[in-house]
Amino acid sequence: MKSYQFGEYGGALQPSDQETPTPQGDEALVRIRACGVCHSDIHMWDGHFDLGNGRELDISRGRSLPFTLGHEIAGEVVAVGPTSEGVSVGAQRVVFPWIGCSDCPVCHAGNEHLCPRPQTLGTNVDGGFSDHVMVPHARYLFDHGDVPAELASTYACSGLTAYSALDKVKEHAAGRTLVIIGAGGVGFAALRVAQALFDTQLIVTDIDDTKLQAAKEGGAAYVFNVNDEDTPKEIKKLTGGGSGAVIDFVGSEASAKFGLKIIGNSGTLIVVGLFGGALAVPLPLVVLKHITIRGSFLGSLEQMGELMELVRSGEVPSIPVEPRPLARAQQALEDLRGGQILGRVVLVP
Ligand SMILES: [Zn+2]
Ligand SMILES: [Zn+2]
């Protein structure tokens, strides 16, 4: 099998040819048809997150180099291990990559995506910038119905992350307003999934007018450019003093600060993006406005099942997907870092 791997953090992605493995036990071998390119691939490639104030979070441990990135994988099951159940050769599936140790309290509680000993594809174990990937068990494989593999792949991370964040603001957003900060890959996915999930007025903000235009066409009731200084005032007017729910898909100091500015009383600010930085919060405001600030990371296996059911029902409008050859993986990462991508770039082997 052919993969594109980096041999050192930040170094070039190089093609590598290895023997295609044979599935053992419960494993299933997937021939990859599509793999989405995600912002967290860039962080993995860099080996660190920016924590703000000159501090960095080292995430270079827990994987050996050379390493294959890519965790938004869809493809065809081409071989299964002798004890595998629940999937057959020929099945078209999207892969839940957030695999845990399956033997700790976190995993037992159904939160494999938060396991302290993760076995995540594309993060800890070689992932989808390749033509094949091994999946340890059929329970991580989800039917994507009539949805093409290129789009289905994006539900494994951006779609699931959006779904999980939306799930956390259900009560705060329904019948009121929801502000989505950042109309990039995950923000746009949230705009689409939100339309299938609940009846609420969707407001999208970004710093890029092209993305805002796409969001408007994609179902946002209102869009605002954050660089326009009247934006917080306008949103407050529109939401009767502040929004019940704000989801920050950027996760920078500026975006979270903006989120706090437009949140209403008893509102919830969910931070999802991992751009990096630090935030100073005026504590009396947290109390007096009775607000919640909460993080949301990925989503659970159960939520993946719920999301894919919604997707198969045809209720989730698609996001813009741009297929590119797998050999162009590095360019895709660089374009994403430069903010030049609308929707999702999906690598096709
Ligand atoms: Zn991702
Ligand atoms: Zn675990």
Side-chain angles (χ1 to χ4, degrees):
M1 67 183 205
K2 188 169 197 171
S3 310
Y4 284 80
Q5 304 185 305
F6 64 91
E8 56 183 313
Y9 286 98
L13 263 55
Q14 306 280 6
S16 131
D17 281 300
Q18 285 151 308
E19 202 181 320
T20 307
T22 305
Q24 313 289 322
D26 293 334
E27 291 176 337
L29 180 68
V30 172
R31 185 176 62 78
I32 298 174
R33 295 181 58 202
C35 183
V37 182
C38 174
H39 262 286
S40 57
D41 289 314
I42 297 172
H43 296 300
M44 295 303 148
W45 187 29
D46 288 341
H48 60 81
F49 282 112
D50 176 11
L51 292 177
N53 305 322
R55 291 167 61 226
E56 283 183 352
L57 175 67
D58 181 7
I59 51 163
S60 65
R61 278 182 286 268
R63 80 186 63 84
S64 49
L65 304 186
F67 188 75
T68 311
L69 293 165
H71 50 266
E72 289 191 347
I73 306 165
E76 180 179 345
V77 176
V78 288
V80 294
T83 55
S84 171
E85 278 178 27
V87 76
S88 312
V89 169
Q92 306 292 327
R93 292 290 183 267
V94 52
V95 182
F96 176 89
W98 315 110
I99 298 165
C101 71
S102 64
D103 193 29
C104 75
V106 179
C107 286
H108 289 160
N111 293 315
E112 283 194 55
H113 62 299
L114 303 175
C115 173
R117 295 197 304 272
Q119 301 294 311
T120 298
L121 303 178
T123 299
N124 308 97
V125 177
D126 282 333
F129 288 9
S130 178
D131 49 21
H132 286 81
V133 71
M134 190 66 83
V135 179
H137 196 282
R139 71 171 179 272
Y140 302 116
L141 298 171
F142 289 85
D143 186 359
H144 52 81
D146 300 332
V147 173
E150 288 85 357
L151 175 60
S153 69
T154 70
Y155 292 118
C157 178
S158 53
L160 177 63
T161 301
Y163 180 86
S164 177
L166 290 167
D167 203 33
K168 292 179 175 76
V169 297
K170 260 189 311 212
E171 282 107 67
H172 296 92
R176 288 179 76 184
T177 48
L178 168 64
V179 177
I180 290 170
I181 301 176
V186 189
F188 201 90
L191 172 67
R192 302 307 248 167
V193 176
Q195 291 168 58
L197 262 189
F198 39 61
D199 185 23
T200 186
Q201 213 164 39
L202 298 166
I203 300 169
V204 177
T205 72
D206 202 289
I207 52 171
D208 180 336
D209 283 329
T210 313
K211 287 181 181 156
L212 289 174
Q213 184 57 35
K216 186 83 192 132
E217 287 158 15
Y222 301 93
V223 296
F224 291 97
N225 193 313
V226 185
N227 286 336
D228 183 343
E229 61 178 53
D230 284 338
T231 289
K233 213 166 60 193
E234 296 283 328
I235 292 180
K236 276 188 182 163
K237 213 187 324 171
L238 199 61
T239 55
S243 184
V246 179
I247 308 181
D248 177 6
F249 288 104
V250 180
S252 71
E253 186 176 335
S255 66
K257 219 181 207 168
F258 171 76
L260 277 181
K261 226 183 257 181
I262 57 166
I263 197 169
N265 286 347
S266 298
T268 294
L269 169 67
I270 306 268
V271 182
V272 177
L274 285 166
F275 184 90
L279 176 70
V281 183
L283 292 172
L285 255 183
V286 177
V287 181
L288 297 171
K289 288 183 79 176
H290 195 252
I291 58 172
T292 305
I293 302 171
R294 189 174 173 186
S296 184
F297 185 52
L298 307 171
S300 68
L301 191 65
E302 190 184 350
Q303 286 173 323
M304 181 75 182
E306 293 166 8
L307 170 63
M308 291 316 294
E309 201 180 314
L310 211 59
V311 167
R312 287 193 303 273
S313 76
E315 281 170 53
V316 183
S318 64
I319 61 162
V321 164
E322 186 196 332
R324 292 191 191 179
L326 173 61
R328 306 280 292 154
Q330 180 167 335
Q331 189 60 48
L333 287 173
E334 280 161 9
D335 289 351
L336 188 61
R337 196 199 290 277
Q340 292 147 1
I341 285 175
L342 191 66
R344 212 56 155 176
V345 163
V346 171
L347 301 172
V348 178

